[in-house]
Amino acid sequence: MSGAIIFIQEDLKITEFQEEILVGILSVISLLGSLGGGRASDALGRKWTMGIAAIIFQIGALIMTLAPSFQVLMMGRLLAGIGIGFGVMIAPVYIAEISPTISRGSFTSFPEIFINIGILLGYVSNYAFSGFSSHINWRIMLAVGILPSVFIAFALFIIPESPRWLVMQNRVDEARSVLMKTNEIESEVEERLSEILKAAGIGTGTGTGTGENQEEKAVWRELLNPSPSLRRMLITGFGIQCFQQITGIDATVYYSPEILQTAGIEEKSRLLAATVAVGIAKTLFILVAIMLIDRIGRKPLLYVSTIGMTVCLCGLAISLSLFKGTTLGVELAILSICGNVAFFSIGIGPVCWVLTSEIFPLRLRAQASALGAVGNRVCSGVVAMSFLSVSRAISMAGTFLIFTILSFLSVGFVYKLVPETKGKSLEQIELLFQKDRNWNEEEVELSDTQQLVKNEGN
């Protein structure tokens, strides 16, 4: 949409306010999809919920492609947003539940990889099709988005259902069969199945996380009146999702042409070419995160990410104020934008979704993850729908100064409220949140214990 919006303005003669609504409404409306996705995934299963997401998005994208007016374009954008809401909520949950513990972080980062590849392909298609007339080029740019979701239809006939969802449906034998596909050691499969059964409260008369009987509370009632441990999970999950967006990543992605135009680039082809560089940086560094997330852990990546983003956002604010309109300002702006998206991709981008798919109890996981996704989408929508207006009011440099401050605050949030989940089963992570102690003390103790075990083994 970042490149297409330039030509939509020319073709449909939309106002700046309509531009903000068109760009930002997708994120806001996707919260409905996220909320619906939580319930659908518990009722229909994880993989068929992904299928629903793809169908809704395809219909929305087709309507946008053929839209003769702003009103019809908005209808398609609303449907696409609902489909995206389903997808961003359920994909990480499904992958986390089906992945082996040792590689869960890498696998759960896969949605973020393909989101980044999609953004890059969007930038490339914007540049490639910009030569067509303004009535045709933006339609082709949006139509390209239909193609990837078609492959989901084929994937649904290949991928298995989540073993944890199957256990919740008392389909234990099917769950065992799925676990055998990801781990050929039968003893480990039985151990993991036993953990899942215990977490689901099957055969024990208790649930997880709160230690209360599973029938005592409906899921939403428990989420609205959480125990101390569940409250801690919700603060961590909801907080990290909100920080991912309020630090301004969607403003950078959606409005990079406008930002670079403010820095001093005027020619449209140069603007779109520069956005391709942004997309490449965002995509390449997500691969670095995939390689490191299960080796060095979630928290170190979050530190590198949030600190790096703070520096780059500050650099962008400086380039747009002190060096605006100069060659140095343009170069610093491009470097800062590329650095910002790179640091985002190396940490808070993928780790945010990994954490929210790991930390919640089994019976609450889909709905609680949906709440986190709602926070993410609301913050994304607020940023996207207000960026141009706020920039006009306090300048674009001032807006990025605010993002800098929020990014700095995210460093403190990670330090105080985010635990390290590397190498722990989903059930072990749940127990970690029940301990009313400082995260850093827990991590030191865990590290010492692991070293002790290693020494005894030697």
Side-chain angles (χ1 to χ4, degrees):
M1 185 58 75
S2 68
I5 195 69
I6 298 174
F7 303 103
I8 292 173
Q9 285 175 319
E10 290 183 15
D11 186 30
L12 301 183
K13 310 301 181 187
I14 65 175
T15 66
E16 185 179 277
F17 176 73
Q18 288 175 319
E19 177 186 352
E20 284 187 313
I21 295 296
L22 181 62
V23 170
I25 197 65
L26 181 138
S27 296
V28 174
I29 203 68
S30 65
L31 70 87
L32 298 179
S34 294
L35 285 173
R39 293 210 165 190
S41 65
D42 280 344
L44 305 176
R46 308 321 195 204
K47 78 171 188 175
W48 295 113
T49 301
M50 288 188 280
I52 293 172
I55 292 170
I56 295 174
F57 178 81
Q58 286 171 358
I59 295 172
L62 183 61
I63 291 173
M64 286 193 292
T65 300
L66 303 175
S69 65
F70 174 75
Q71 289 75 15
V72 177
L73 185 62
M74 279 293 295
M75 288 175 56
R77 188 77 166 159
L78 290 172
L79 279 175
I82 293 173
I84 287 173
F86 269 78
V88 298
M89 172 263 145
I90 194 56
V93 170
Y94 171 79
I95 297 171
E97 291 186 344
I98 203 169
S99 301
T101 298
I102 194 171
S103 54
R104 187 179 62 244
S106 296
F107 287 150
T108 310
S109 300
F110 269 40
E112 190 68 19
I113 292 180
F114 288 102
I115 286 172
N116 280 279
I117 291 174
I119 290 171
L120 174 58
L121 291 177
Y123 285 145
V124 170
S125 71
N126 290 343
Y127 181 72
F129 300 125
S130 62
F132 291 87
S133 72
S134 60
H135 181 68
I136 297 295
N137 53 16
W138 65 267
R139 299 178 188 276
I140 301 175
M141 295 172 189
L142 298 182
V144 169
I146 299 173
L147 300 177
S149 59
V150 173
F151 291 103
I152 294 178
F154 297 99
L156 291 176
F157 293 99
I158 301 172
I159 63 174
E161 183 53 85
S162 159
R164 289 170 171 83
W165 183 81
L166 291 170
V167 165
M168 289 171 65
Q169 306 302 309
N170 287 315
R171 293 157 63 178
V172 179
D173 289 338
E174 292 178 58
R176 181 183 288 107
S177 176
V178 172
L179 288 170
M180 287 295 294
K181 292 178 181 179
T182 59
N183 191 339
E184 296 180 355
I185 304 174
E186 189 170 349
S187 60
E188 291 185 11
V189 168
E190 292 301 327
E191 181 182 354
R192 182 52 46 82
L193 184 61
S194 176
E195 288 180 351
I196 296 172
L197 287 168
K198 184 178 178 182
I202 294 178
T204 65
T206 60
T208 60
T210 63
E212 297 185 41
N213 189 286
Q214 194 169 354
E215 281 79 30
E216 283 183 17
K217 292 183 181 179
V219 168
W220 278 106
R221 185 179 171 191
E222 190 167 351
L223 288 173
L224 293 173
N225 186 27
S227 67
S229 60
L230 180 56
R231 186 180 300 111
R232 206 172 187 184
M233 295 176 190
L234 289 170
I235 291 171
T236 298
F238 195 80
I240 197 69
Q241 288 279 9
C242 291
F243 269 114
Q244 191 206 52
Q245 291 299 326
I246 63 175
T247 47
I249 188 63
D250 275 3
T252 307
V253 170
Y254 283 133
Y255 296 109
S256 51
E258 283 89 344
I259 297 168
L260 292 170
Q261 204 167 31
T262 301
I265 302 177
E266 295 294 339
E267 189 181 341
K268 287 180 182 177
S269 60
R270 285 188 65 201
L271 285 173
L272 295 177
T275 61
V276 173
V278 175
I280 291 172
K282 200 170 189 300
T283 304
L284 287 179
F285 279 87
I286 187 68
L287 300 177
V288 177
I290 298 302
M291 292 186 289
L292 296 179
I293 193 168
D294 284 316
R295 294 183 183 180
I296 68 173
R298 285 59 160 155
K299 207 160 179 175
L301 288 180
L302 283 174
Y303 281 137
V304 171
S305 176
T306 51
I307 293 170
M309 287 169 62
T310 303
V311 173
C312 290
L313 288 166
C314 183
L316 185 55
I318 291 171
S319 71
L320 295 173
S321 57
L322 300 182
F323 304 109
K324 181 179 177 181
T326 66
T327 302
L328 176 61
V330 169
E331 292 175 351
L332 182 57
I334 294 174
L335 182 63
S336 296
I337 292 174
C338 289
N340 183 48
V341 299
F343 279 115
F344 176 88
S345 292
I346 207 172
I348 200 169
V351 173
C352 165
W353 297 104
V354 172
L355 279 172
T356 50
S357 64
E358 290 178 328
I359 62 177
F360 295 109
L362 174 59
R363 73 184 182 283
L364 306 176
R365 185 169 298 138
Q367 305 282 22
S369 296
L371 275 179
V374 166
N376 182 285
R377 295 295 84 200
V378 169
C379 292
S380 171
V382 169
V383 168
M385 294 174 74
S386 64
F387 178 74
L388 291 180
S389 298
V390 174
S391 296
R392 297 287 180 270
I394 65 172
S395 80
M396 199 165 281
T399 305
F400 278 100
L401 181 60
I402 293 174
F403 289 145
T404 302
I405 294 169
L406 292 170
S407 184
F408 178 76
L409 292 176
S410 72
V411 181
F413 179 87
V414 170
Y415 175 76
K416 293 293 292 183
L417 293 168
V418 177
E420 180 56 72
T421 58
K422 181 191 74 169
K424 302 177 183 68
S425 70
L426 297 178
E427 291 69 32
Q428 288 170 336
I429 294 169
E430 185 181 334
L431 292 175
L432 178 62
F433 275 90
Q434 294 177 17
K435 299 174 182 178
D436 188 21
R437 301 170 69 175
N438 182 277
W439 288 133
N440 300 295
E441 291 175 2
E442 288 293 341
E443 287 162 16
V444 170
E445 283 191 12
L446 181 62
S447 176
D448 291 342
T449 303
Q450 289 173 332
Q451 190 62 43
L452 214 66
V453 171
K454 287 180 182 178
N455 291 340
E456 287 180 1
N458 294 333

